[in-house]
Amino acid sequence: MRTLTQNKHLTLLFALAFIVSIMLPLAGCGEKEETLNLTCQTWTESYIIGHITQILIEENTDYNVKRIELDSNAITWQAFKNNEVDIWGGYTSSFFQLFEDDDILYDPDEVYNYVSGKLETEHNIVMLERMGFYNNYDLAVTPEVAEQYNLETYSDLAAVSNELRIAADVNF
């Protein structure tokens, strides 16, 4: 049977081993050598994605990350093209809007492939794989408007669109 003193020594030994196991990987760690500029826009979802990206990079690489908040796709795109930012966590549709082509694409895979190809061939920018969620826009009307115009589908809405007004942000 162990004595109280032996248990205290054993506890102290485990505590020291735990501390060493945490500190050892940090030994010799100094300042990170390079800083990456990550841009996110000034709205909640973009800010959260930027923050998560920053944490993942800093915890898994030797890079520091400086987050730069910019207000619009146009400003962000200009900063990106001018090499003022290194990483932009944006939406495929936001990148799609940057190209002044007459192409109209609706399939998410076609849009991703188109944008990815354009970024790489025309701007030497690599677009990483998708983040794994789909963020789309939808339209909403009040129950009264839906009843008045008998709205159930986008086609129904299109038929009476000249009688209604839409409120949306520029990305929509």
Side-chain angles (χ1 to χ4, degrees):
M1 184 177 260
R2 290 193 189 120
T3 65
L4 186 58
T5 305
Q6 289 173 323
N7 282 340
K8 284 183 182 179
H9 287 285
L10 192 57
T11 302
L12 181 60
L13 183 61
F14 281 123
L16 286 173
F18 177 74
I19 292 169
V20 169
S21 72
I22 290 173
M23 299 304 287
L24 194 56
L26 299 176
C29 291
E31 286 292 314
K32 295 183 178 189
E33 294 188 17
E34 190 172 343
T35 298
L36 296 174
N37 293 322
L38 164 71
T39 185
C40 59
Q41 292 180 338
T42 55
W43 38 276
T44 306
E45 190 172 66
S46 179
Y47 183 79
I48 291 169
I49 290 170
H51 190 70
I52 290 169
T53 303
Q54 178 181 5
I55 290 169
L56 288 171
I57 291 170
E58 289 181 342
E59 287 186 357
N60 293 287
T61 72
D62 289 331
Y63 293 102
N64 281 315
V65 175
K66 178 182 176 186
R67 239 175 329 123
I68 302 168
E69 296 176 14
L70 299 173
D71 289 328
S72 72
N73 287 335
I75 293 169
T76 303
W77 178 238
Q78 197 59 48
F80 204 63
K81 288 191 331 184
N82 292 340
N83 295 317
E84 295 167 5
V85 293
D86 303 300
I87 303 168
W88 175 7
Y91 297 105
T92 306
S93 60
S94 297
F95 290 105
F96 185 72
Q97 295 173 18
L98 300 170
F99 303 114
E100 297 179 10
D101 292 343
D102 292 329
D103 291 336
I104 298 174
L105 302 173
Y106 298 102
D107 178 83
D109 293 330
E110 288 179 14
V111 174
Y112 173 82
N113 291 333
Y114 174 83
V115 169
S116 180
K118 286 278 244 186
L119 286 172
E120 190 161 350
T121 58
E122 294 181 12
H123 301 283
N124 198 30
I125 294 171
V126 175
M127 187 169 183
L128 301 180
E129 291 186 27
R130 297 180 194 153
M131 292 184 191
F133 64 90
Y134 184 70
N135 183 3
N136 63 326
Y137 286 98
D138 289 304
L139 294 174
V141 298
T142 63
E144 295 80 17
V145 170
E147 185 177 330
Q148 178 183 352
Y149 293 98
N150 195 28
L151 301 177
E152 293 183 14
T153 67
Y154 286 112
S155 297
D156 296 339
L157 182 62
V160 296
S161 62
N162 61 333
E163 299 179 45
L164 301 169
R165 289 183 292 170
I166 186 171
D169 71 4
V170 69
N171 290 322
F172 185 77

PDB file of all heavy atoms in Angstrom, residues 137-152:
ATOM      1  N   TYR A 137     -29.156  32.720 -52.492  1.00  0.00           N
ATOM      2  CA  TYR A 137     -30.169  33.729 -52.214  1.00  0.00           C
ATOM      3  C   TYR A 137     -31.535  33.190 -52.598  1.00  0.00           C
ATOM      4  O   TYR A 137     -31.675  32.415 -53.530  1.00  0.00           O
ATOM      5  CB  TYR A 137     -29.893  34.988 -53.043  1.00  0.00           C
ATOM      6  CG  TYR A 137     -28.728  35.794 -52.528  1.00  0.00           C
ATOM      7  CD1 TYR A 137     -27.469  35.671 -53.091  1.00  0.00           C
ATOM      8  CD2 TYR A 137     -28.904  36.691 -51.481  1.00  0.00           C
ATOM      9  CE1 TYR A 137     -26.414  36.429 -52.626  1.00  0.00           C
ATOM     10  CE2 TYR A 137     -27.853  37.452 -51.014  1.00  0.00           C
ATOM     11  CZ  TYR A 137     -26.613  37.320 -51.592  1.00  0.00           C
ATOM     12  OH  TYR A 137     -25.566  38.064 -51.130  1.00  0.00           O
ATOM     13  N   ASP A 138     -32.522  33.620 -51.880  1.00  0.00           N
ATOM     14  CA  ASP A 138     -33.898  33.285 -52.199  1.00  0.00           C
ATOM     15  C   ASP A 138     -34.721  34.553 -52.093  1.00  0.00           C
ATOM     16  O   ASP A 138     -34.294  35.546 -51.514  1.00  0.00           O
ATOM     17  CB  ASP A 138     -34.439  32.224 -51.232  1.00  0.00           C
ATOM     18  CG  ASP A 138     -33.799  30.873 -51.476  1.00  0.00           C
ATOM     19  OD1 ASP A 138     -33.876  30.385 -52.614  1.00  0.00           O
ATOM     20  OD2 ASP A 138     -33.235  30.312 -50.526  1.00  0.00           O
ATOM     21  N   LEU A 139     -35.905  34.503 -52.659  1.00  0.00           N
ATOM     22  CA  LEU A 139     -36.816  35.632 -52.591  1.00  0.00           C
ATOM     23  C   LEU A 139     -37.918  35.345 -51.587  1.00  0.00           C
ATOM     24  O   LEU A 139     -38.332  34.199 -51.423  1.00  0.00           O
ATOM     25  CB  LEU A 139     -37.438  35.901 -53.968  1.00  0.00           C
ATOM     26  CG  LEU A 139     -36.460  36.366 -55.043  1.00  0.00           C
ATOM     27  CD1 LEU A 139     -37.165  36.454 -56.392  1.00  0.00           C
ATOM     28  CD2 LEU A 139     -35.855  37.710 -54.674  1.00  0.00           C
ATOM     29  N   ALA A 140     -38.392  36.395 -50.954  1.00  0.00           N
ATOM     30  CA  ALA A 140     -39.480  36.256 -49.999  1.00  0.00           C
ATOM     31  C   ALA A 140     -40.485  37.377 -50.233  1.00  0.00           C
ATOM     32  O   ALA A 140     -40.106  38.495 -50.603  1.00  0.00           O
ATOM     33  CB  ALA A 140     -38.946  36.333 -48.571  1.00  0.00           C
ATOM     34  N   VAL A 141     -41.733  37.062 -50.052  1.00  0.00           N
ATOM     35  CA  VAL A 141     -42.800  38.061 -50.114  1.00  0.00           C
ATOM     36  C   VAL A 141     -43.694  37.860 -48.895  1.00  0.00           C
ATOM     37  O   VAL A 141     -43.686  36.789 -48.276  1.00  0.00           O
ATOM     38  CB  VAL A 141     -43.645  37.940 -51.414  1.00  0.00           C
ATOM     39  CG1 VAL A 141     -42.793  38.188 -52.651  1.00  0.00           C
ATOM     40  CG2 VAL A 141     -44.331  36.585 -51.507  1.00  0.00           C
ATOM     41  N   THR A 142     -44.445  38.872 -48.575  1.00  0.00           N
ATOM     42  CA  THR A 142     -45.370  38.735 -47.450  1.00  0.00           C
ATOM     43  C   THR A 142     -46.508  37.800 -47.851  1.00  0.00           C
ATOM     44  O   THR A 142     -46.797  37.629 -49.048  1.00  0.00           O
ATOM     45  CB  THR A 142     -45.959  40.100 -47.051  1.00  0.00           C
ATOM     46  OG1 THR A 142     -46.721  40.605 -48.157  1.00  0.00           O
ATOM     47  CG2 THR A 142     -44.861  41.081 -46.666  1.00  0.00           C
ATOM     48  N   PRO A 143     -47.161  37.205 -46.883  1.00  0.00           N
ATOM     49  CA  PRO A 143     -48.305  36.332 -47.206  1.00  0.00           C
ATOM     50  C   PRO A 143     -49.394  37.066 -48.005  1.00  0.00           C
ATOM     51  O   PRO A 143     -50.017  36.487 -48.889  1.00  0.00           O
ATOM     52  CB  PRO A 143     -48.828  35.888 -45.838  1.00  0.00           C
ATOM     53  CG  PRO A 143     -47.663  36.040 -44.925  1.00  0.00           C
ATOM     54  CD  PRO A 143     -46.859  37.196 -45.444  1.00  0.00           C
ATOM     55  N   GLU A 144     -49.565  38.349 -47.704  1.00  0.00           N
ATOM     56  CA  GLU A 144     -50.578  39.128 -48.414  1.00  0.00           C
ATOM     57  C   GLU A 144     -50.246  39.274 -49.902  1.00  0.00           C
ATOM     58  O   GLU A 144     -51.124  39.145 -50.762  1.00  0.00           O
ATOM     59  CB  GLU A 144     -50.736  40.523 -47.768  1.00  0.00           C
ATOM     60  CG  GLU A 144     -51.273  40.504 -46.351  1.00  0.00           C
ATOM     61  CD  GLU A 144     -50.213  40.173 -45.286  1.00  0.00           C
ATOM     62  OE1 GLU A 144     -48.994  40.259 -45.582  1.00  0.00           O
ATOM     63  OE2 GLU A 144     -50.607  39.783 -44.175  1.00  0.00           O
ATOM     64  N   VAL A 145     -48.988  39.538 -50.189  1.00  0.00           N
ATOM     65  CA  VAL A 145     -48.567  39.670 -51.592  1.00  0.00           C
ATOM     66  C   VAL A 145     -48.674  38.323 -52.296  1.00  0.00           C
ATOM     67  O   VAL A 145     -49.146  38.241 -53.436  1.00  0.00           O
ATOM     68  CB  VAL A 145     -47.136  40.248 -51.685  1.00  0.00           C
ATOM     69  CG1 VAL A 145     -46.590  40.154 -53.115  1.00  0.00           C
ATOM     70  CG2 VAL A 145     -47.097  41.687 -51.190  1.00  0.00           C
ATOM     71  N   ALA A 146     -48.269  37.263 -51.632  1.00  0.00           N
ATOM     72  CA  ALA A 146     -48.365  35.930 -52.228  1.00  0.00           C
ATOM     73  C   ALA A 146     -49.811  35.592 -52.562  1.00  0.00           C
ATOM     74  O   ALA A 146     -50.103  35.060 -53.642  1.00  0.00           O
ATOM     75  CB  ALA A 146     -47.781  34.879 -51.286  1.00  0.00           C
ATOM     76  N   GLU A 147     -50.715  35.939 -51.656  1.00  0.00           N
ATOM     77  CA  GLU A 147     -52.138  35.648 -51.890  1.00  0.00           C
ATOM     78  C   GLU A 147     -52.705  36.538 -52.995  1.00  0.00           C
ATOM     79  O   GLU A 147     -53.410  36.069 -53.884  1.00  0.00           O
ATOM     80  CB  GLU A 147     -52.929  35.844 -50.597  1.00  0.00           C
ATOM     81  CG  GLU A 147     -54.382  35.456 -50.735  1.00  0.00           C
ATOM     82  CD  GLU A 147     -55.131  35.581 -49.420  1.00  0.00           C
ATOM     83  OE1 GLU A 147     -54.523  35.407 -48.345  1.00  0.00           O
ATOM     84  OE2 GLU A 147     -56.334  35.871 -49.491  1.00  0.00           O
ATOM     85  N   GLN A 148     -52.369  37.825 -52.944  1.00  0.00           N
ATOM     86  CA  GLN A 148     -52.899  38.770 -53.932  1.00  0.00           C
ATOM     87  C   GLN A 148     -52.515  38.384 -55.353  1.00  0.00           C
ATOM     88  O   GLN A 148     -53.323  38.479 -56.268  1.00  0.00           O
ATOM     89  CB  GLN A 148     -52.395  40.188 -53.627  1.00  0.00           C
ATOM     90  CG  GLN A 148     -52.851  41.241 -54.624  1.00  0.00           C
ATOM     91  CD  GLN A 148     -52.264  42.613 -54.317  1.00  0.00           C
ATOM     92  OE1 GLN A 148     -51.630  42.824 -53.291  1.00  0.00           O
ATOM     93  NE2 GLN A 148     -52.486  43.545 -55.225  1.00  0.00           N
ATOM     94  N   TYR A 149     -51.270  37.939 -55.543  1.00  0.00           N
ATOM     95  CA  TYR A 149     -50.790  37.629 -56.887  1.00  0.00           C
ATOM     96  C   TYR A 149     -50.738  36.123 -57.156  1.00  0.00           C
ATOM     97  O   TYR A 149     -50.224  35.697 -58.187  1.00  0.00           O
ATOM     98  CB  TYR A 149     -49.406  38.244 -57.108  1.00  0.00           C
ATOM     99  CG  TYR A 149     -49.437  39.759 -57.126  1.00  0.00           C
ATOM    100  CD1 TYR A 149     -49.105  40.486 -55.993  1.00  0.00           C
ATOM    101  CD2 TYR A 149     -49.798  40.451 -58.283  1.00  0.00           C
ATOM    102  CE1 TYR A 149     -49.117  41.873 -56.010  1.00  0.00           C
ATOM    103  CE2 TYR A 149     -49.820  41.829 -58.316  1.00  0.00           C
ATOM    104  CZ  TYR A 149     -49.485  42.535 -57.167  1.00  0.00           C
ATOM    105  OH  TYR A 149     -49.511  43.908 -57.194  1.00  0.00           O
ATOM    106  N   ASN A 150     -51.207  35.328 -56.220  1.00  0.00           N
ATOM    107  CA  ASN A 150     -51.200  33.873 -56.359  1.00  0.00           C
ATOM    108  C   ASN A 150     -49.779  33.355 -56.649  1.00  0.00           C
ATOM    109  O   ASN A 150     -49.536  32.637 -57.624  1.00  0.00           O
ATOM    110  CB  ASN A 150     -52.192  33.411 -57.434  1.00  0.00           C
ATOM    111  CG  ASN A 150     -52.468  31.927 -57.336  1.00  0.00           C
ATOM    112  OD1 ASN A 150     -52.384  31.339 -56.256  1.00  0.00           O
ATOM    113  ND2 ASN A 150     -52.787  31.319 -58.460  1.00  0.00           N
ATOM    114  N   LEU A 151     -48.838  33.732 -55.785  1.00  0.00           N
ATOM    115  CA  LEU A 151     -47.425  33.401 -55.991  1.00  0.00           C
ATOM    116  C   LEU A 151     -47.055  32.108 -55.275  1.00  0.00           C
ATOM    117  O   LEU A 151     -47.232  31.976 -54.067  1.00  0.00           O
ATOM    118  CB  LEU A 151     -46.535  34.534 -55.471  1.00  0.00           C
ATOM    119  CG  LEU A 151     -46.739  35.907 -56.102  1.00  0.00           C
ATOM    120  CD1 LEU A 151     -45.833  36.930 -55.435  1.00  0.00           C
ATOM    121  CD2 LEU A 151     -46.491  35.850 -57.604  1.00  0.00           C
ATOM    122  N   GLU A 152     -46.541  31.174 -56.043  1.00  0.00           N
ATOM    123  CA  GLU A 152     -46.006  29.935 -55.483  1.00  0.00           C
ATOM    124  C   GLU A 152     -44.637  29.596 -56.055  1.00  0.00           C
ATOM    125  O   GLU A 152     -43.873  28.858 -55.440  1.00  0.00           O
ATOM    126  CB  GLU A 152     -46.981  28.776 -55.738  1.00  0.00           C
ATOM    127  CG  GLU A 152     -48.291  28.922 -54.984  1.00  0.00           C
ATOM    128  CD  GLU A 152     -49.213  27.737 -55.201  1.00  0.00           C
ATOM    129  OE1 GLU A 152     -48.749  26.696 -55.709  1.00  0.00           O
ATOM    130  OE2 GLU A 152     -50.398  27.851 -54.846  1.00  0.00           O
TER     131      GLU A 152
END
